[in-house]
Amino acid sequence: MSAQDLIQGEADVDDEDGDESFDEETGEVIRKSNGVKGGNRAIDDSSEEDEDDEDEDAVRAVREGFIIDEDEEEAEERVRRRRERRKRRREEREEEEAELDDEDLDLIGEANPDFEPREPKRERKRLKQGHKEDRGGGSRKGGVGDIFDSDDEDEDLPRTYDNQRNFKRAEPRELENEFADFIEENFSDNEGRYPGDDDAEVARPVSTNLIGVKDAAGLDEIALEDMNKVFGTGYEYDWALEIQDQEEQDEQRRPDPEDPEALLKGIELKDVFEPSQLAERMLTDEDNQIRAIDEPERFQIARKPYRHLVLTDEQFKEESIWISNLMLPKKRLEGDLREPFQKSVAKVLEFMITDEYEVPFIFQHRKDYLIHAAKVAVTPDAYNPNGPQYVVSAEKLLNQSDLWDIFDFDLKFRALIDKRNVLQRTYDNLKSLSDFKDSVFEEMLPTAVTMEELQDVQDYLHFQHSSRLTDLAVASGTGVNGTATQRRPGASKMIFERVRSGKVYGLVRAFGISADAFAQNALKKEGRRQYTEDPTERPDDMADSERILDPPDYSSGAQCLRAAKAMFAEEISLSPKMRKVMRQAYYMNGIIECFRTEKGLRKIDEQHPYYEFKYLRNQQLSDIARQPDLFLRMLQAEEEGLVEVKVRLQNYENFKIRLYGDLESDNESEVADAWNRERREALDMALLKLDKIMTRGVKENMKTECENQVAKTCRDEFAKKLDQAPYKPKGMILGTVPRVLALSNGTGTFGKDAINWASVHDDGRVLENGKFVDLALGDPERGTEDGPDVEKLVTLVKRRRPDVIGVSGFSTETRKLYKQIEDIVENKDLRGSEYEDEDGNERTDKLEVVIVNDEVARLYQTSERANLEHPGYATLTKYCVALARYLQNPMKEYASLGRDIVSMSFDPCQRYVPTEKILKQLETAMVDMVNLCGVDVNEAVSDMYTANLLPYVCGLGPRKASQLLKVINLNGGAVSTRAELVADPAEGRLGAVGPRVWNNCASFLSIDFDSSETESDYLDNTRVHPEDYDLGRKMAADALELDEEDIEAETQENGAGAIVRKLIKDDAQEKVNDLILEEYAEQLERNFNQRKRATLETIRAELQQPYEELRRNFALLSTDEIFAMFTSETRDSLCEGMIVPVVIKRVADDFVEAKMDCGIEGTVPAMGISNRPDVSAKQLFAVHQIVQAKITYLNRKQLTANFSLREEDLRRPYRKESDRMRDEWDEAEEQKDKDSMVEKNDVSGRTQRVIKHPLFKPFNSAQAQEYLGSQSRGDVVIRPSSKGLDHLAVTWKVSDNIYQHIDVLELDKTSQFSSGTTLKIGGKYNYSDLDELIVNHVKAMAKKVDEIMLHEKYQNGSKADTERWLTTYTEANPKRSVYAFCINPKHPGYFHLCFKAGQHAQLQNWSVKVVPQAFELQNTMYPDMRALCNGFKLLFQNMLTVKRR
């Protein structure tokens, strides 16, 4: 064996799965070691034997665990064999511990000179054969990995396997027999021998027979005793073996919830998979616990932080009032509905907390508790004496969104109670440590109803009793790092604690009123006013007295007075009541204002989106609440350092004067005036601190409220998208799934690029797909024929009979495709499926062509899911498949996105809201809609897209949904009744869900009714909950007018569902409309205290049409939605009056055709070209020229526009109209900033030039770099040059934070302010105008920069980083040379070519210059990267050749 076999000398590159492979014959997992390999494992301790055997078994068990094996006998046999192997191994260990091997005997010989070692026989051919990898016929070459190979067929052989790392040992034999049997045996083959016998012969142990050892070694009793002292008796480590055996037994007993055979295999998934893999697949212990607990999954996850918390009856009552008070201001209910509203909230909380019902269940099956019904007397009608005496007036108190709010408020209340309990326990512990009472704490803690108020109480407690809390921590052993620490006296006391415990605090008391009493006055609550008492001495005199001075810290009166005022101010600022006063004032009279920073002054111009609030002032909090998007953008701008958002109190001076009155004394004297001055100063100090606290709190709360509003807006928009039934073909009932033909040209140009299409059946299968190239219709008048693909499209439509044709794409070119398909349908008279009209006649209509919302398709086309489902399809074809499926069921398509749903845009400001908050709101919308529609549970078992809906079913979640499907498969793969979802030990049926979860989800999981199956229940295919089945059967019996005897006979003969079955069989469902449900409802409420009026209406509807489609009709896209989808523009981002860059497409004498970047094409009429009628358009403009144009008309439906190029129109920039009051915008500051910018430009010392070009900006170099900072690589700014009026400067972005400034010399100028007709750069490059310069110079260089930065040899990072990489590479590959490119930030437009010719060679670098159309290296031009690399190698080789000479 060579050293290479022992040491792993080379790492495998890009092999992330190097720790395991698979046997090509058996498919078993083979583990590879990352360290020592091969024969080196022979020296490993044999105690690892069982561990590796367990690894092998664990891998095999997990691999087999993903395949359900119903042959339990084979599993039991495997377990039995494994137990026997373990038993044999334990016996071997016990015997081997006492054995002596050859090394022991050699050591004995060294200690005992009389001992003669035996010489081995010279001939032993089995030893010569070596290990298995060196023999076996020579046809098999074994490697290290072969050590792990094992055949299943050898499992039953009577052999003893040691750890796979160690060579195998045979059963122990006596020492005498070992030497006596040492004879030559020549085996010509391996027949009759077990695998591993040769290894066993090599490593055969000596006998444990002590007599034999003594005789063979020649030792007496004393020597043997000495030997035992040195080497031990072999029983010293029995305790470790016992622990290992116990662990093996525990491992075998531990079941795995995810593996049906875990009880037999005795392993868990965590023994095989990494924790991150288990977390990704939701297979951790916590996930399994969620599956096992019979509680709705969403409840478990949301309430996880508060599982330890149990609300008392008083707290439960408090919660209902607390939530009602939070919700009532937004509900705007009448006064007489407030009490019913509070009762309704309390009942909903009872359902959620006590009964553990989720929101959909409450909304569907407890709807009567969400409605306030009252009987209103009716004036008697003389003409109708038998008319009703009253009518029922129903008022809806809570909707489904309110229920989700109550659920969130419940979590917040639990957090509130949890913190309140912690504070109460802390206070109780303080009282137990020292006998005291704090009336402020005891008064404020129970009344704290927000987390802010609780935080106020906590801050007060820690300030007022900091020394006691320190003593408590020491006493309870919770000091630093959880242990009590002995500290130097006074080291832990803060300045305020020293004041409180010293003589200076007497000066604080002399202020004549406590902070709490002052706050009580400021609250203006009912009660007696606290008056301030003045001392007899002036403040300075008292401070200088001996009873106040406290040297050395406070040795002068001025020091004492300052400390006393600071202490009093701190007490005021930390008073919970005072903070309540300030908080009320800020929320009632707070003002939010926005101030630009120096950075914002330069960056936020009139076209910037932040200009809307650059000078915004005097915004009430209520105004901000109505514009959540505005405030979130203000905070984002503040984060970017462009503005500063400030909160101030309106009429602050008046407010402060009122507080002075609550603090000052009413006495009139010199002493009183002196003390009042000190009180006012202390209050001013306190207000400064309180202002900071309040400002921060108001901004945080407003931010949270605005985020919640935006998130709810996203929820509402998502709910609208979900509330769409499948596209309804004409003549079919709502909910019918259509056959769809979807087409798209993607980003292609209409008439030039191919059109992909896919035909999708109503079950979601893709029947056909392909491409069309030419769908142009011919013109008989002009003698042109149809395109070759028109007939193919017609044939396809007639063959597949689609119900609708869907079209979509990525640009405005798709609008032309849509119009073309419409023309083909009209011209070729393509029609949809036949249907019967109201008169019973068969008819067909023209096939409808619709533009499909593609937001899901755009995500699907490049997803891993699309690749798995349609591996051979083109990306655009997958896009078409998703379009078709969206038409068939939008809800399923949205559900299939999972967490990717947050990448869709529902609100322009959702990017300012945390993703988890958006995702949470979107999930509630999906839950509502899925439970409204229900899920066919048997369809979910077989269809992945339907299974995607299960996690949103009431009571379920992703974990419980997967468990549900798995158990259904174990139970047979189908469910006949809803009751089968619950475990039934008598029938041997596993439970898919527990009773509580079943109660939540039962009515939302539908099962198709099969009249031929006696067990099938019609109500299982309805929205009726099993708890109301008796009501449904009662209504069916009454509708059929059956008496008790008929009902009993029918039920006994055909089961509990027989009555409803008879109603359906007789087609008598409409008879339920004759039932008077009001009497039913009154009887149920009177006899059983159950409010079921709305439930009875649901049962009546479901008996007539089970699971009727309640979603709205499929919503076709509006004009604005199509405009946004094709152009990526909105009404705010693109509208009439805006000035935009356009590309000239065609120039005629009297008009110009142009196109915007978003794809909208338009024309410039003759009146919009120029003021001069004597100048034609061809003289002013050229094709492909980029100019600024003003939008005069925008047709959003046809995606066309009209432009104006007149100079007077371009001088009037677009400014968004704003509806502001005069005091809401600081016009003076705005004008001052404009004047300041003009002055700065004048100070620069040069005349400001204006060039008529869209890229010209009046910037200096710093401003140009700042402007380009957020732009893309290659973007350009043309600006004035500091070198004079015959120069221009062009700044372009090379890369992030790297900009190149190009000096342009202007020649042939008609005037000093005009642009030169010849532009020269570096004396080498000449251009005729700025557009040519940008395209052929700057853009050409930018293209070369992209080319080098996308090259495989380019390294991101600095030159030092690149050189480190080169060094590391050459150390790993000593004989190889390597080179790489990196950017040179100090010289924009240059790159470093770093190289190292071997491990010991020096690092070198050459400069590569980017020039238009080429790279320059060593004064040689190279057109592309391939030529540059080859040129470098040639130059380097020539350099080496010269050196050798």
Side-chain angles (χ1 to χ4, degrees), residues 112-173:
N112 187 358
D114 298 333
F115 175 73
E116 296 182 0
R118 293 171 174 78
E119 294 184 4
K121 299 282 186 180
R122 298 174 63 183
E123 294 182 0
R124 190 177 183 184
K125 295 187 178 180
R126 273 178 287 180
L127 265 178
K128 293 181 181 179
Q129 290 179 357
H131 297 296
K132 286 182 286 187
E133 61 265 29
D134 299 326
R135 63 177 189 272
S139 61
R140 178 180 178 185
K141 295 183 179 180
V144 176
D146 295 332
I147 297 174
F148 300 94
D149 290 342
S150 62
D151 297 324
D152 294 338
E153 62 192 77
D154 295 333
E155 229 174 72
D156 297 328
L157 297 178
R159 57 183 176 175
T160 58
Y161 278 108
D162 204 333
N163 188 332
Q164 297 284 9
R165 304 177 201 171
N166 302 333
F167 297 120
K168 315 300 182 286
R169 293 180 178 177
E171 294 191 5
R173 304 180 184 180

Side-chain angles (χ1 to χ4, degrees), residues 1234-1252:
K1234 289 181 179 179
D1235 296 341
S1236 174
M1237 293 297 291
V1238 171
E1239 290 178 5
K1240 287 182 180 179
N1241 291 333
D1242 293 340
V1243 169
S1244 62
R1246 62 176 183 268
T1247 305
Q1248 293 298 306
R1249 295 183 61 188
V1250 178
I1251 303 296
K1252 186 180 178 181

Side-chain angles (χ1 to χ4, degrees), residues 1274-1287:
D1275 283 355
V1276 187
V1277 164
I1278 303 170
R1279 58 185 180 84
S1281 174
S1282 59
K1283 294 185 177 181
L1285 296 178
D1286 58 346
H1287 286 260

Side-chain angles (χ1 to χ4, degrees), residues 1338-1349:
V1338 179
K1339 294 297 182 182
M1341 288 196 297
K1343 186 177 180 181
K1344 289 300 172 185
V1345 169
D1346 289 339
E1347 184 178 348
I1348 192 171
M1349 295 184 77

Side-chain angles (χ1 to χ4, degrees), residues 959-1058:
R959 300 162 187 82
K960 288 188 179 292
S962 63
Q963 182 77 357
L964 175 80
L965 295 175
K966 182 171 290 186
V967 173
I968 290 176
N969 281 315
L970 290 176
N971 286 339
V975 179
S976 301
T977 65
R978 286 170 171 168
E980 291 183 6
L981 296 173
V982 185
D984 188 349
E987 297 183 5
R989 185 174 66 235
L990 298 175
V993 292
R996 281 186 181 271
V997 174
W998 181 84
N999 217 20
N1000 273 278
C1001 70
S1003 63
F1004 305 107
L1005 297 175
S1006 65
I1007 301 170
D1008 285 341
F1009 173 66
D1010 187 355
S1011 58
S1012 63
E1013 294 288 339
T1014 56
E1015 294 183 356
S1016 184
D1017 194 329
Y1018 179 84
L1019 294 176
D1020 282 341
N1021 192 34
T1022 67
R1023 291 183 173 90
V1024 181
H1025 194 276
E1027 70 178 8
D1028 297 322
Y1029 278 8
D1030 290 340
L1031 291 177
R1033 291 160 184 162
K1034 171 65 175 168
M1035 291 173 62
D1038 290 348
L1040 293 172
E1041 298 180 356
L1042 300 178
D1043 55 23
E1044 293 294 334
E1045 294 178 358
D1046 294 335
I1047 296 173
E1048 185 177 356
E1050 188 73 26
T1051 303
Q1052 288 180 354
E1053 182 178 354
N1054 297 316

Side-chain angles (χ1 to χ4, degrees), residues 744-755 807-821 851 1122 1125-1127 1145 1155-1156 1158-1161 1198-1199:
S744 177
N745 60 345
T747 57
T749 302
F750 175 74
K752 294 183 179 180
D753 296 316
I755 301 164
V807 178
S808 197
F810 309 142
S811 69
T812 56
E813 298 290 308
T814 305
R815 180 71 176 74
K816 302 175 184 177
L817 173 63
Y818 166 74
K819 186 67 173 64
Q820 186 182 63
I821 300 298
I851 297 178
I1122 294 174
M1125 186 172 71
F1126 288 160
T1127 65
K1145 293 297 183 182
K1155 187 176 182 178
M1156 287 190 281
C1158 63
I1160 294 178
E1161 297 178 347
Q1198 299 297 329
L1199 302 180

Side-chain angles (χ1 to χ4, degrees), residues 55-87:
D55 288 346
E56 181 188 40
D57 292 337
V59 172
R60 185 185 299 110
V62 171
R63 185 185 67 246
E64 297 170 354
F66 290 111
I67 303 174
I68 299 174
D69 186 1
E70 306 213 1
D71 190 356
E72 297 182 358
E73 294 182 0
E74 294 183 5
E76 293 176 356
E77 181 65 21
R78 288 197 297 271
V79 174
R80 183 186 62 78
R81 289 199 299 268
R82 190 169 63 187
R83 288 175 178 171
E84 289 179 356
R85 289 199 300 272
R86 287 178 177 170
K87 182 178 179 181

Side-chain angles (χ1 to χ4, degrees), residues 761-860:
H761 198 260
D762 55 12
D763 60 3
R765 290 182 296 112
V766 181
L767 302 177
E768 289 185 72
N769 70 89
K771 292 183 180 180
F772 295 134
V773 178
D774 188 358
L775 290 176
L777 281 172
D779 188 348
E781 296 180 359
R782 296 183 179 180
T784 59
E785 297 181 351
D786 294 341
D789 290 329
V790 173
E791 185 58 33
K792 293 180 181 178
L793 173 60
V794 173
T795 304
L796 174 66
V797 171
K798 292 180 178 179
R799 182 173 66 252
R800 291 303 178 188
R801 306 294 296 171
D803 298 310
V804 62
I805 296 179
V807 178
S808 197
F810 309 142
S811 69
T812 56
E813 298 290 308
T814 305
R815 180 71 176 74
K816 302 175 184 177
L817 173 63
Y818 166 74
K819 186 67 173 64
Q820 186 182 63
I821 300 298
E822 271 194 332
D823 293 341
I824 293 175
V825 170
E826 182 68 29
N827 187 274
K828 302 300 180 182
D829 195 27
L830 301 180
R831 294 184 172 270
S833 302
E834 294 182 352
Y835 65 93
E836 289 186 3
D837 59 13
E838 296 178 356
D839 299 329
N841 299 321
E842 294 287 337
R843 63 168 296 177
T844 60
D845 292 312
K846 287 284 179 64
L847 193 59
E848 189 170 2
V849 183
V850 299
I851 297 178
V852 188
N853 187 339
D854 71 339
E855 57 189 0
V856 177
R858 293 191 185 207
L859 296 174
Y860 175 81

